[in-house]
Amino acid sequence: MPSVGRNGPPFPQTEGADLYASSCQACHMPDGAGATGAATYPALAKDPRLKAKALPITRVLNGSKAMPAFKGVLTDAQIAAVVGYVRTHFDNHYSDKVSGDDVKVLRQ
Amino acid sequence: MTTPDVMKRRDLFRMIGLFAGSAAMYNAMSTLGFAADSQYTGPIRLSGAPAGTKVVVLGAGWAGLVAALELRDAGYQVQVLDYNDRIGGRAWTLRGGDVYTELGGETQRCEFDPGLYINPGPWRIPYHHRGYLAYAKRFNVTLEPFIMVNYNAYVHSNQYFDGKPRRFREVQADFHGHVAELLAKAAHKERLDDALTREDQEMLLEALRSWGALDENFAYGANMSSAERRGYEINKGGGLMPPPMPSTPISLQDLLRSGLWSSLNPGQIHQWQSTIFQPVGGMDSTPKAVGKSIAELITFNAKVKAIRQDERGVTVSYVDAHSGQDPRQVRADWCVCTIPLSILSQIDLNVGAPMQAGINSISYESAVKTGLQMKRRFWEEDDAIYGGITFTDLPISHIAYPNTAYNKPGKGVLLGTFAFGEKALTLTGMSPAMRVKKAVEYGAQIHPQYATEYENGISVAWHRVPGALGCAAAWNSALMAQHYRNLAEIDGRIILAGDHVSRGLSGWQEGAILSSLDAVTRLHKRIING
């Protein structure tokens, strides 16, 4: 679990939208469209890979290639909130709930 | 209590490692002489390239420039491709008139006055980065001091001292003074008897008095002795000016709780110890000077799509970086690839599984820098801060003052944000205009003059830099053990170079230079010896 330092947790936000803004949209962009330069940040909008919640949860926990792992800086509840947000926004319509326990079982 | 000389060195390292992570471990090892200062051993002077042997170098940042220069000088036929339209990679400078479009499509135009700039990437050259210094000397680049520790700059906590900044000299003097007083008390109460002989304790007490500016009773307080370290309430003067008056120390409790003590440490770390340099006029000066002699070898705006090797050579496929069209190929006998792993992990590449696993396993750090032009150099005129860095726990993390043109009238550019980690990631998610706005808002909490003096700004968030997709490779000791050697070894006809293939120099120009010197030396040997 993330350690809480003198200045509070690394990401103080609790709501999915706020967590997306503070930790995801740096790369995946405010509209989830991703971006391409010398390489690509994948779009999260209209993304069929989000159907099974385990994939985005695992990505956020462990990272992938240049994407950093967030397991050290986000709690289970925060990851559940932000994954739930992405799966129900940006033209994604996967409404089955993501819970902190879903994250907990996938956290190594 | 255990004395240092009976504590096993291994235990000491373990203890330091537990408290402060691997960076501290490395620093401790440096201090005790186990890790080398710099591994630069002088110019490499390769020679005797087999006639007609061609090497393609991917990237025209430091690693690519060094590889291209040294291999060309050895007699190889060299071609360089770079995604950007300029030389230097992350060694980059933004000046008035520059236009920069980040990922996501937002374009900023730098509005700085002539002569003013920021270095969005690397900005410091330690005295022991001897590879860099050798190239700067060889290509006649003029250096000037970069001020890392400024005793009159601020350390600031948003939540303590009513959010008012304190001077570095006050915090350092008071922290040292209080700690010296405590240790002296312990010695007087015979609490150090297990650790030191009485004779050694007498010497320690004298050292503490001198180091901590303690009075004759080994106390730290408001007196002329502490004022000589932390500064005076009324400074020294002449004639009938009022006599000097000492200032009042901050309490140890407030220092500890505010965490201001942590800002005393960076300047003591090996890579930030004095003397540190910067090139006069901007960080791009050195790569530009080095690149001048190989300019005709470089193809800009080349986005590499595939690097495919076979028994006889390497084929690099690329397209125009802007249009994504106009596919072309370069065929060469060998390839030196300096493309950051953040990008290389997405390129079609046929290397062995161990190297590919390494390429796919390293994430990239986040960093944000924001430059702010001010109508006047108020930090000098009002606050007597000449160069150096203010440390704050606000999201901007640092305010850095220009280390040049001191005491001149006119405008100046501050580095109004230099953030890493989660703070940087959150700032990166904002639009450039919002990042600049936040830099002004937060900075005004430390320098209220921002409100009237700010003119314009520009912000670079490294995860949004199209040719980088991140600041630097985020190595840790576990990743190092698993992947480092596999990334550094020659794979068929391909060798990787760059700061990401350095031990402990990720994000440093010296890392790119040493990595490249080592790579082309080994590659040349392989080519010559078969």
Side-chain angles (χ1 to χ4, degrees):
Chain A
M1 282 312 225
S3 59
V4 178
R6 187 165 19 85
N7 298 314
F11 292 103
Q13 301 81 8
T14 55
E15 298 299 316
D18 299 334
L19 283 160
Y20 183 83
S22 63
S23 62
C24 306
Q25 74 181 29
C27 299
H28 295 287
M29 299 295 152
D31 55 359
T36 295
T40 294
Y41 293 130
L44 302 176
K46 274 193 207 168
D47 188 352
R49 295 172 307 166
L50 297 172
K51 187 170 191 298
K53 55 193 173 188
L55 182 99
I57 291 172
T58 308
R59 282 279 191 276
V60 174
L61 277 169
N62 301 328
S64 173
K65 295 189 171 177
M67 174 177 166
F70 285 84
K71 62 184 166 196
V73 289
L74 294 177
T75 63
D76 292 345
Q78 285 177 308
I79 292 175
V82 77
V83 168
Y85 176 80
V86 172
R87 291 177 80 242
T88 52
H89 290 77
F90 313 127
D91 255 333
N92 299 308
H93 305 284
Y94 306 107
S95 55
D96 54 313
K97 199 171 155 20
V98 183
S99 72
D101 284 341
D102 294 332
V103 179
K104 195 176 179 182
V105 296
L106 291 166
R107 192 185 274 272
Q108 299 301 318
Chain B
M1 193 161 174
T2 319
T3 59
D5 51 2
V6 301
M7 181 186 273
K8 288 196 180 76
R9 282 187 159 172
R10 195 184 57 236
D11 294 338
L12 180 62
F13 287 143
R14 192 186 53 80
M15 210 176 78
I16 294 170
L18 278 179
F19 281 121
S22 57
M25 178 78 91
Y26 180 82
N27 292 319
M29 290 174 72
S30 275
T31 312
L32 298 183
F34 292 127
D37 208 33
S38 164
Q39 304 209 30
Y40 181 69
T41 51
I44 53 175
R45 296 198 182 93
L46 308 178
S47 65
T53 306
K54 180 168 177 178
V55 182
V56 62
V57 174
L58 304 179
W62 261 112
L65 290 175
V66 165
L69 178 76
E70 300 298 345
L71 292 170
R72 193 274 315 267
D73 287 355
Y76 290 97
Q77 195 192 330
V78 174
Q79 183 171 355
V80 183
L81 303 180
D82 195 283
Y83 177 84
N84 291 319
D85 58 2
R86 56 173 180 81
I87 234 164
R90 280 165 284 166
W92 179 30
T93 300
L94 282 170
R95 302 179 181 81
D98 287 341
V99 175
Y100 164 56
T101 301
E102 66 175 36
L103 289 173
E106 295 236 36
T107 295
Q108 300 174 84
R109 189 188 149 84
C110 184
E111 304 286 354
F112 296 162
D113 276 26
L116 304 179
Y117 68 86
I118 60 162
N119 295 320
W123 57 327
R124 295 179 273 217
I125 302 139
Y127 69 90
H128 51 83
H129 284 189
R130 301 190 67 89
Y132 185 104
L133 293 173
Y135 280 106
K137 183 181 268 187
R138 181 168 153 194
F139 290 94
N140 276 318
V141 175
T142 307
L143 304 177
E144 62 192 347
F146 176 103
I147 310 301
M148 180 70 202
V149 179
N150 180 338
Y151 277 62
N152 208 43
Y154 292 122
V155 288
H156 173 253
S157 167
N158 183 36
Q159 294 145 53
Y160 291 85
F161 308 110
D162 301 323
K164 295 211 166 50
R166 309 303 304 237
R167 301 284 185 176
F168 183 97
R169 58 180 149 78
E170 300 172 342
V171 172
Q172 176 164 285
D174 296 349
F175 194 64
H176 289 181
H178 288 305
V179 169
E181 182 185 295
L182 274 180
L183 204 47
K185 273 185 190 151
H188 282 127
K189 288 182 179 168
E190 300 172 8
R191 296 268 168 79
L192 303 183
D193 284 4
D194 291 346
L196 291 172
T197 66
R198 281 296 165 87
E199 200 177 27
D200 287 344
Q201 288 184 55
E202 285 306 315
M203 290 191 278
L204 176 67
L205 283 167
E206 277 319 303
L208 289 171
R209 174 142 58 193
S210 164
W211 179 67
L214 306 183
D215 66 16
E216 61 280 9
N217 299 317
F218 296 95
Y220 183 72
N223 53 42
M224 296 311 232
S225 175
S226 68
E228 277 291 272
R229 306 287 173 89
R230 71 187 316 284
Y232 290 81
E233 184 67 38
I234 299 174
N235 212 341
K236 298 162 190 173
L240 287 178
M241 292 174 184
M245 285 273 291
S247 53
T248 305
I250 307 164
S251 77
L252 181 57
Q253 285 80 356
D254 284 347
L255 281 173
L256 291 172
R257 288 169 197 174
S258 67
L260 290 186
W261 53 269
S262 65
S263 300
L264 303 175
N265 301 336
Q268 304 190 50
I269 290 171
H270 189 226
Q271 64 198 3
W272 294 316
Q273 286 171 4
S274 299
T275 304
I276 303 177
F277 300 105
Q278 62 183 19
V280 170
M283 191 52 75
D284 61 357
S285 308
T286 320
K288 274 182 179 164
V290 174
K292 206 172 277 176
S293 67
I294 50 167
E296 74 281 0
L297 308 179
I298 305 173
T299 303
F300 292 110
N301 299 310
K303 175 174 171 172
V304 172
K305 303 282 282 185
I307 307 164
R308 305 289 301 181
Q309 58 176 331
D310 51 54
E311 311 78 58
R312 296 182 314 283
V314 183
T315 301
V316 178
S317 305
Y318 65 99
V319 295
D320 178 78
H322 299 294
S323 67
Q325 306 296 312
D326 194 16
R328 293 175 187 230
Q329 290 192 331
V330 177
R331 177 74 181 173
D333 299 292
W334 303 88
C335 173
V336 178
C337 177
T338 74
I339 297 172
L341 302 179
S342 49
I343 294 157
L344 190 59
S345 58
Q346 294 188 22
I347 288 174
D348 173 15
L349 171 72
N350 63 336
V351 291
M355 180 183 272
Q356 190 66 55
I359 292 168
N360 289 350
S361 296
I362 315 297
S363 68
Y364 265 59
E365 304 275 9
S366 203
V368 172
K369 280 187 177 176
T370 300
L372 305 174
Q373 178 165 303
M374 299 291 173
K375 289 176 201 157
R376 64 185 184 93
R377 297 168 73 100
F378 59 80
W379 52 93
E380 297 182 350
E381 293 169 0
D382 304 352
D383 303 322
I385 296 171
Y386 297 89
I389 298 169
T390 279
F391 295 88
T392 172
D393 59 5
L394 290 168
I396 56 174
S397 303
H398 305 79
I399 296 172
Y401 310 93
N403 299 297
T404 195
Y406 299 119
N407 214 27
K408 291 254 165 59
K411 298 177 180 181
V413 165
L414 290 175
L415 192 69
T417 301
F418 179 32
F420 272 105
E422 293 81 30
K423 286 174 178 172
L425 207 55
T426 299
L427 289 170
T428 302
M430 300 174 187
S431 68
M434 181 57 78
R435 272 179 244 138
V436 170
K437 185 168 178 276
K438 288 285 176 192
V440 173
E441 282 175 16
Y442 286 129
Q445 294 186 34
I446 296 169
H447 291 289
Q449 300 99 320
Y450 274 40
T452 51
E453 309 300 344
Y454 166 71
E455 281 194 331
N456 61 70
I458 189 163
S459 179
V460 174
W462 279 93
H463 268 114
R464 294 245 175 124
V465 175
L469 277 77
C471 158
W475 284 103
N476 60 38
S477 51
L479 289 169
M480 270 276 160
Q482 199 179 347
H483 297 295
Y484 184 80
R485 184 162 277 277
N486 296 333
L487 280 180
E489 295 282 7
I490 299 172
D491 185 300
R493 291 177 169 269
I494 296 170
I495 189 163
L496 307 188
D499 63 300
H500 49 282
V501 196
S502 71
R503 294 186 193 272
L505 288 168
S506 195
W508 288 92
Q509 296 172 93
E510 185 75 354
I513 292 168
L514 294 183
S515 160
S516 188
L517 289 171
D518 176 71
V520 297
T521 302
R522 282 189 287 127
L523 184 65
H524 180 63
K525 203 177 284 176
R526 169 72 59 90
I527 294 169
I528 297 287
N529 299 336

